[in-house]
Amino acid sequence: MIETRVLKPTDAALYEAAATLAAGELGAFPTETVYGLGGDATSDTAVARIFEAKARPSFNPLISHVPDLDAAFVLGDFDERARAVAEAFWPGPMTLVVRRRDNCPISLLASAGLDTIAIRVPAHPLAAELLRAVGRPIAAPSANPSGRVSPTTAEHVLAGLAGKVSIILDGGPCSVGLESTVLGSEEHTSALQSLRQLVCR
């Protein structure tokens, strides 16, 4: 068991949370959807800690969060359709599954050994600041034990993961309250077609 501290979102707390994640420890932070249980996506050890803390099956891939589109395009192979969807909906509550680039630094554990990765650019300003401060992709499934309701406040995270996460960055209630929509490669075309229909109306 480790001490879990809940921090208000000051500049000092943001720096501490970023340093915690960069050191391979776990930290929870808000996104517009739900609170995420964050760990360095490039570290096998940090990713393994996420699975352990959540009691999550290791065959269930994790979503990696990045601060902007440029950071996402470095990690994954976005074809024309995927790039168009990303540019239309990011930042926002949508996750895209694309093929890993050959030099992708994300741990294979986070991808469950697959040749694809799940990436998201969250719209929450505190999440974006944290991701920029860490400077690397952060794997962050919902910050709750597997099978439990996803947390939308710092108090929810503390109730489920106290003693398993070093820091909880308290950004208040999440605005959306539901997990992000996940689109696989075969769904990029339909999403793009739906977008075009909306634009043409």
Side-chain angles (χ1 to χ4, degrees):
M1 296 284 285
I2 59 177
E3 178 188 3
T4 299
R5 293 182 300 128
V6 180
L7 305 179
K8 293 299 182 182
T10 63
D11 289 343
L14 189 70
Y15 174 82
E16 186 174 355
T20 296
L21 294 174
E25 298 179 47
L26 303 185
F29 62 94
T31 73
E32 74 277 21
T33 55
V34 297
Y35 273 72
L37 173 59
D40 181 356
T42 69
S43 165
D44 290 344
T45 300
V47 170
R49 285 175 176 165
I50 293 175
F51 283 109
E52 181 181 7
K54 285 181 61 72
R56 179 186 177 108
S58 60
F59 57 77
N60 195 348
L62 304 178
I63 297 172
S64 292
H65 294 63
V66 293
D68 52 48
L69 275 73
D70 287 342
F73 295 156
V74 168
L75 301 173
D77 184 11
F78 286 72
D79 61 18
E80 182 180 353
R81 297 166 301 169
R83 184 177 287 264
V85 172
E87 290 173 346
F89 292 105
W90 277 346
M94 183 194 67
T95 296
L96 284 177
V97 179
V98 296
R99 290 195 175 277
R100 297 171 60 103
R101 288 195 178 276
D102 291 340
N103 60 347
C104 179
I106 291 177
S107 167
L108 284 172
L109 292 176
S111 299
L114 301 173
D115 62 356
T116 56
I117 52 173
I119 308 177
R120 184 162 97 86
V121 179
H124 196 290
L126 187 59
E129 285 186 56
L130 178 62
L131 292 167
R132 281 193 291 268
V134 178
R136 65 193 70 171
I138 296 299
S142 57
N144 58 280
S146 288
R148 304 270 187 91
V149 176
S150 296
T152 56
T153 67
E155 291 77 14
H156 294 161
V157 179
L158 188 63
L161 294 178
K164 297 182 178 180
V165 56
S166 297
I167 285 176
I168 301 172
L169 198 56
D170 186 355
C174 300
S175 59
V176 176
L178 295 172
E179 290 84 351
S180 64
T181 299
V182 180
L183 296 181
S185 57
E186 68 280 358
E187 296 166 304
H188 297 166
T189 299
S190 59
L192 185 57
Q193 289 172 342
S194 297
L195 175 64
R196 286 169 175 164
Q197 289 172 359
L198 289 173
V199 171
C200 292
R201 285 179 180 173

